[in-house]
Amino acid sequence: MFRNYFKVAIRHLQRHKFITVINISGLAVGMACCMLIVLYVRDELSFDKFHPHADHLYRVTTSSTRGSSNTTEHDAATQFPIGPNLKKDISGIKEAVRIYAPDNTLFTVGDKKIWDAHTGYADAPFFQVFNFPLLEGNPATVLKEPYSIVLTESAAKRYFGNEPAMGKMIKVGNDYSCTVTGIAKDFPANTDLRLTMIQSYATLITQNLKTDNRLEQQWFLFGNNVTYVQLEEHQTPAHLTKALNTFVSTHIGGILKRLNIQFSLELQPVGNVHLHPQGDKGVDNSPMIWLYIAIAAFLILIACINFMNLTTARAQERAKEVGLRKVLGAERKSLILQFLTESLVISIASFLLAIVLVVALLPTFNTITGKELHLLSFADAFLYTSILLLVLGVGLIAGSYPALYLSGLIPVRVLKGNFITSGSRVLVRQGLVVAQFAVAVALIISTVVVFSQLRYWQTKNLGFDKEHLVNVYVSNNSKAALLKTSFLNLSGVKHASMHNFLMGSGVFSNNPVMREGAEDKDGFVAGIIQSDFDLLKTTGIKLVSGRDFNPALATDSSDAFIINQAAARQLGYKDDAVGKRIEWRPGYMSRHGTIVGVVEDFNLRSLQLPVEPIIYLVRSEEVGIITLRLAPGDHKALMKRVEETWNSIIPETPFNFSFVENDIQQQYASERTLGKLFGIFSGLAIFIACMGLLGLSMLIARQRTKEIGIRKVLGASVANISLLLSKDFLKLVLIGICIASPIAWYGMEKWLQHFAFRIHVEWWVFVLTAAVVTVIALCTISLQSIRSALINPVKSLRSE
C-alpha cells in the first residue's frame, strides 16, 4: 500500500516540476538555516556544562551599590583573598579555585620568544574541579608549588616542538622562570576558560610579595581575578546566602562602611557564565539565543507556508482526482496518507539538499560566528534524532493542512464541475502570505537597525583621534623611555606617550577618588591613568578648561591631576573644577593634588557602556604601553622601521603592537556577527517568500487563463492584465509590512536600550524596507503576470 502511495507521489511531483522545484528549494533553504542555527544555539548553550561537577560548580560574582545610588553594578571580578577564605569559613563549600588572567605575557624558551594572550594563574585544585584532562602530571600537585606551569598540547608543541616538555624551564616576562609540571589536552572550544598556559597561583602570590604587595590581604583589590567554588552534595546557593552575608560582613564590612557601599557575593551556576558574563543579574545575552531559535522556526514556517499555499492553490486541479478516488471507494484516511506521502517525499528530498547546503556553507558560517561547528559526530545521537524529527515534522506540518482540506472535498460537487474554492480557504491562503512577508520584513528592519547602530559606533566621535594610533606593548620594560625617544626620532612618528592603560579597550586601574580631606564614603571609584607628560598631545584628547601637564613645573609630576568631565560631575564641580584639591586613595598610599585641567569625556571602553570618571596623573613607574601617533602614509613600512628600532634596543623581547582603531572594532564583534546573520537570514526569508509568491501567482494565473483571454479579446492591454493579477498580491505584501513594522520597532527599541550610546529607530528605515520589499515582490509577481498577459487568447479560448 505504502509503495503505491510512494509511486503515485513521485509521478505527481514529476508531472509538476516547477512547483516541485519551488517547494523543495524553499524547504531545503529553510531546513539548512534551521540546522545551522541549531548547531550555533546548541554550542552556545553547552559552554562549561561538560565538567563532572557542573551541577555543584559556581562562579562567585559581586553586586555593589554606592551610597544612595539607584544603580547596582554586577561583576565577575572578585577580591584576591576571597577564594581560600570562602573554603575556610563556609562548611558547605568543598573547594575553591581562583583564576587570574593578566594581559599579553611574554614567554621565552631558548630562542623562542612568544607573546601569549591565553595565559593565567590558577589555584592548585584547578584540574580536580574542572574537567580538563592531563596527559602528563598529577592533577592534585601540578599547580601546588610556586613557579609551576602547565601547558596545553598545542602550547607545548609551540615552545618545545617534538621534544618532551615535562620538567623543562620556561621564562615568564623578564622576571622569573617556571618548571613545566604538566601537559593538558587542548581545552575544548565550548569553554570560557580558553587557557593555554596556566601558572600556579602560588607563583602570583610569591612574585607580589617581592614588592611587599600582599595580595591575600587586599580585601578590596579585584583586578582580573575570578573565583569558582564547588559546593558539597545537596548544598545550594540558597542554603549559603546567610553564610555569604556573614562572610562579607566579617572580612569586608569595615571597608564597605567607610566607602558607603552595599556589597554582596552571589553564586552563579557555571553553565550560566557564557550568556551572563557579569553574573546572573548583569548583562543577559540569552534573549539572543531565543531570537535565533525564533528565526529558525520562522524560516521553516515560511517554507511550510509556501508548500501549503501552493498545494491548496492547486486544489481545483486536483479536485477531480479526489472525486474519482472517492467514487471508486477511496476512504478519506487513504487520501490523507497519499497527500502526506507526497509531503514527506518533498521533505526528504529537501533534507538531502539541505545537508549539501549546510556542508557547503558551514565553513563560511564558522568564519562569521567565530565558531568551530561540525555537522555530525558519530557520538552525537541527539543531533541525529533532532534532524530526523525535523524532517518528519516539516513533512507532516507542511502536508497536514492540504491533506485534510483536499481529502474533505465532496465528490458529487467536484465531478459536476461545481467546485469553487471557498472564501474561507482563500482567506487562510492570504493570511499565510501576509505572515510570510511580515516575518521577512521584521528581519530586514532588524538588520538595517543593527547595521545602523554599528555604523553609529564606528563613526561617533570618541573624544580622541583614533586614526593613526598604535599601541606598542612594552610590559614594564626598564628601557621604555629609551624606546619612546628612539621612536620619536623616526620620520613618520609624530608623537608618543607612555602609560598604563590600553587605548581603545579601557582603563584597568580603578581606585577611590574624593575631594581633599573628605571621608571615604563621599568618594567614588574612578579609572586611574598613569602616564607621562605627552598623553593629551598624542591622543588628541581635548581640554575644556585649565591646561595640560607641563614638564617644566616640578609640581605637575607629584601634585597635580587632570580629570574628565564625568569625574568633575562626580566631585560636584560644574565649571569651577580647575584649582580644586582632590585625593587619590589606592589603598596602600594616598596622593593629594590640584586639578590643573579638565578634558572632554572620552570613550576608552565600548560605546555599549557609559563614560566612566577618569583621573590622569603623571607617574611612569608602571608603564605597560607606548602609544604612537603616526603621520598619514605607508604605515606598514613605518611599523617595519619601528620594529627595527625596537630590535636594536631590546632584541631579547619580541615586538608586539596593535592599531587602536582595530582594537576598538574588536569590541563590537558580537554585534557585527548579529548584523551579518540577520542580513543573511532576512535575505533568505525574502527569497523563500518570493519563491512561494512566484509559484502562487503562476497557479492563480493558470486558474484565470480563460478570464485573461476574454479580457484580451475585449481590448485589455498587457499592462491592465498585469495590474489585475498583481494588485491582490501587493495588497497582501503591504498588509504584511504594516503588521511587521511596529513589532520590529518594539523589538529593536528593547535591544537598543542595552547600550549607553545608541541610535533611535528612524522613520526612513520602515519606508526603505517597505519600498525594497514591495519592489522585490512586484518584480516576482510581474514575471508571471506579464507572461500570462502575453499569451495568445486563441490558445486559452479554443476549448470553449
Side-chain angles (χ1 to χ4, degrees), residues 553-575:
L553 298 175
T555 54
D556 275 11
S557 59
S558 60
D559 190 55
F561 295 102
I562 291 176
I563 66 175
N564 69 347
Q565 291 170 307
R569 289 192 295 270
Q570 286 277 16
L571 288 164
Y573 301 130
K574 294 183 179 178
D575 301 321

Side-chain angles (χ1 to χ4, degrees), residues 704 706-717 721 724:
R704 301 176 71 174
K706 291 182 175 61
E707 177 191 346
I708 293 169
I710 293 171
R711 287 180 180 275
K712 288 197 74 175
V713 169
L714 295 176
S717 66
I721 294 173
L724 175 71

Side-chain angles (χ1 to χ4, degrees), residues 213-423:
N213 184 9
R214 302 177 181 274
L215 287 181
E216 295 195 307
Q217 295 177 16
Q218 299 279 353
W219 279 98
F220 220 66
L221 178 64
F222 294 80
N224 197 14
N225 182 75
V226 295
T227 304
Y228 287 84
V229 294
Q230 181 185 341
L231 303 188
E232 298 281 3
E233 295 286 337
H234 310 302
Q235 283 285 359
T236 66
H239 293 153
L240 301 180
T241 301
K242 185 176 180 181
L244 288 171
N245 292 337
T246 301
F247 179 89
V248 170
S249 178
T250 302
H251 293 287
I252 321 172
I255 302 173
L256 296 175
K257 188 174 181 181
R258 287 201 309 273
L259 296 177
N260 193 22
I261 296 175
Q262 284 123 35
F263 181 90
S264 63
L265 296 176
E266 296 164 359
L267 299 183
Q268 176 189 27
V270 69
N272 292 3
V273 169
H274 183 65
L275 295 177
H276 301 78
Q278 296 173 332
D280 284 344
K281 296 179 181 177
V283 174
D284 183 5
N285 294 324
S286 58
M288 299 310 302
I289 296 299
W290 292 109
L291 179 59
Y292 287 131
I293 292 172
I295 289 172
F298 282 136
L299 287 172
I300 282 288
L301 184 61
I302 288 174
C304 291
I305 286 172
N306 273 354
F307 182 85
M308 289 187 281
N309 269 344
L310 293 176
T311 305
T312 53
R314 293 177 55 239
Q316 193 164 358
E317 296 178 19
R318 304 200 67 178
K320 290 184 179 180
E321 174 193 343
V322 172
L324 284 171
R325 283 175 176 271
K326 282 197 169 185
V327 167
L328 294 173
E331 297 179 355
R332 187 178 186 187
K333 179 177 69 174
S334 65
L335 291 171
I336 290 174
L337 288 174
Q338 175 64 60
F339 289 120
L340 287 179
T341 301
E342 290 180 17
S343 177
L344 285 172
V345 168
I346 289 176
S347 182
I348 292 169
S350 301
F351 166 69
L352 296 176
L353 179 57
I355 290 289
V356 174
L357 290 174
V358 171
V359 170
L361 295 174
L362 197 54
T364 303
F365 188 76
N366 282 336
T367 301
I368 292 172
T369 59
K371 297 283 187 183
E372 299 174 10
L373 304 176
H374 302 283
L375 177 58
L376 293 175
S377 166
F378 288 106
D380 201 344
F382 172 81
L383 191 56
Y384 280 121
T385 305
S386 300
I387 291 174
L388 178 61
L389 291 175
L390 174 68
V391 175
L392 294 175
V394 168
L396 293 175
I397 292 170
S400 58
Y401 176 68
L404 293 172
Y405 170 47
L406 292 172
S407 64
L409 296 177
I410 300 172
V412 175
R413 290 177 57 192
V414 170
L415 295 176
K416 282 184 176 181
N418 294 330
F419 174 77
I420 299 175
T421 304
S422 67

Side-chain angles (χ1 to χ4, degrees), residues 602-650:
F602 53 97
N603 295 89
L604 288 177
R605 301 188 297 173
S606 165
L607 287 169
Q608 300 168 356
L609 305 170
V611 174
E612 62 180 329
I614 296 290
I615 308 296
Y616 163 31
L617 57 110
V618 175
R619 189 167 181 259
S620 56
E621 285 89 339
E622 298 180 10
V623 170
I625 292 172
I626 299 176
T627 295
L628 307 179
R629 164 74 62 191
L630 308 183
D634 187 354
H635 289 164
K636 187 175 181 181
L638 178 54
M639 290 310 298
K640 187 70 176 174
R641 284 187 283 132
V642 171
E643 183 176 4
E644 289 170 356
T645 302
W646 172 285
N647 291 333
S648 68
I649 296 172
I650 47 173

